[in-house]
Amino acid sequence: MPAFGSQATAVVIDLTGVAFPGSRGLALPAEAAAHADRRGVRLVPAAGHRAVVHPIHVTALDDVFDLYQDVDRAVAAVAAPPATPSPSRSRREDV
């Protein structure tokens, strides 16, 4: 598992180069999201390929974390102050 520093508030994961995630490729972000959440860190993956986005939608992982089309949008979302705090993580872009 990744080590999140005490000052980290969000981590962007670049999945844009992934051609197909496979079962382990889906499990790792889910595990990392749980690990991050326990430490109050927001995990923000960037994935624009349908071959990656579709399995994330089908497995409902997009309910676990926000998903962005590319790294620039994910970084912008992390940098922007949250509009309203929400206990659910159902926000997602049309990717």
Side-chain angles (χ1 to χ4, degrees), residues 28-79:
L28 275 173
E31 292 170 15
H35 183 76
D37 193 52
R38 286 191 302 270
R39 285 153 183 79
V41 176
R42 182 176 163 208
L43 188 72
V44 185
H49 299 293
R50 178 163 169 69
V52 176
V53 173
H54 182 70
I56 288 173
H57 289 311
V58 168
T59 58
L61 284 175
D62 53 347
D63 290 337
V64 174
F65 43 65
D66 299 336
L67 182 63
Y68 293 87
Q69 283 183 319
D70 55 50
V71 172
D72 291 338
R73 290 178 188 196
V75 169
V78 168

Side-chain angles (χ1 to χ4, degrees), residues 13-38:
I13 297 179
D14 183 0
L15 301 175
T16 59
V18 175
F20 184 78
S23 61
R24 190 64 184 146
L26 293 171
L28 275 173
E31 292 170 15
H35 183 76
D37 193 52
R38 286 191 302 270

